[in-house]
Amino acid sequence: MRMTIVALIALAAVALAQGPPPGRGGRGRMGFDGPPGPGGPGGEPGGGILRAGVKNAPFSADVITESSHTLADGNRIHQTLNSKVYRDSEGRTRREQAVHLNGLAPDANMQQMVFIHDPVAGVSYSLNAKERTGIKSVRGAADRGPGPRPRETSAGGDMRGMGRYNASDPNFKTESLGRQTIEGVQAEGRRTTMTIPAGQAGNELPIHIVSENWYSTDLQTTVLSRHSDPRNGETVTRLLNFSRAEPSHALFEAPADYKLTESAAGMPHPRGAAGQTKQ
């Protein structure tokens, strides 16, 4: 049973690292740990809501992600994912979220998970709050810098969750939406539209995929993102209830009474292998 719980924590960590959609299919990325969005030095899906390694920009906020998709028969799927995020002045991050563990647990038994990344100490934690167990992942010195940097093409184009593109590609358009205040935070908006021409994917008509991101330079985080794909519906992620106060250092440590399994490079080893369990 214990190793089952550990395995589920690892599964949840992998799923959340990939940016879990509340619905099925589609982009669904929440951009928790990505590079900066519009207004920063690059962009990506979700705009790096909880990018680790960002110094002197502490905050905490609630995150709500809503996914909606209308099926061909008119049936509508709508799901909501709630989480709480924290970042301190040294760039440590914490995310609290109830997860489905890839559908292995019914809604009534969703596990409350906590994900901590400490780039200063070079460790990360995936914690199961109910079972008071978790995984401590130790990173090497090369992995202790700021969060991922945006990838670039030879033409200087960044990645925005819609594949590699060339700045001269007529099927890829980026436009500025100006600035506005969102939840009391000044943010700069950008809309990116990718068009799949008719016939390219077996489609009779062009498909337009639209991403909109509102990025706060002050907080170095995206405060609102919207992604619409007619094949998979729409996903909207927004930050609410901002606090600029410095989060308690205790939030970025595993509680002393948790049973932790240690691993290198982020993935746990089976009991009896290289990893060892701390009581």
Side-chain angles (χ1 to χ4, degrees), residues 20-46:
R24 298 180 59 186
R27 171 177 171 266
R29 289 182 54 88
M30 298 177 65
F32 278 112
D33 303 304
E44 60 87 54

Side-chain angles (χ1 to χ4, degrees), residues 42-91:
E44 60 87 54
I49 287 174
L50 199 58
R51 189 168 60 104
V54 176
K55 294 190 175 184
N56 303 316
F59 77 94
S60 61
D62 296 318
V63 182
I64 299 178
T65 295
E66 295 182 286
S67 174
S68 59
H69 184 203
T70 301
L71 305 180
D73 62 0
N75 194 10
R76 185 170 180 266
I77 299 173
H78 182 86
Q79 293 178 292
T80 301
L81 184 67
N82 298 294
S83 58
K84 180 80 174 181
V85 296
Y86 305 82
R87 186 172 65 206
D88 71 2
S89 294
E90 293 299 316

Side-chain angles (χ1 to χ4, degrees), residues 187-213:
E188 178 184 349
R190 182 175 298 174
R191 180 185 294 121
T192 305
T193 304
M194 184 181 75
T195 300
I196 301 176
Q200 182 170 305
N203 48 312
E204 295 182 355
L205 299 173
I207 297 174
H208 303 288
I209 303 170
V210 181
S211 285
E212 179 181 313
N213 287 280

Side-chain angles (χ1 to χ4, degrees), residues 11 31 56 59 77 85 90 144 156 160 172 177 189 192 201 211-212 247 250 259-261 265 268 276 278:
L11 182 59
N56 303 316
F59 77 94
I77 299 173
V85 296
E90 293 299 316
R144 299 188 187 185
R160 306 193 184 279
F172 201 99
L177 300 176
T192 305
S211 285
E212 179 181 313
K259 297 178 180 179
L260 300 179
T261 296
Q276 60 182 7
K278 279 193 172 182

Side-chain angles (χ1 to χ4, degrees), residues 124-171:
S124 295
Y125 299 95
S126 300
L127 307 175
N128 185 314
K130 180 179 179 180
E131 302 293 338
R132 304 193 75 76
T133 58
I135 297 170
K136 176 182 179 181
S137 303
V138 181
R139 287 171 162 75
D143 300 316
R144 299 188 187 185
R149 302 181 67 86
R151 293 171 288 173
E152 297 184 350
T153 66
S154 59
D158 55 31
M159 303 296 288
R160 306 193 184 279
M162 291 184 282
R164 188 175 296 274
Y165 73 97
N166 187 288
S168 62
D169 189 341
N171 295 313

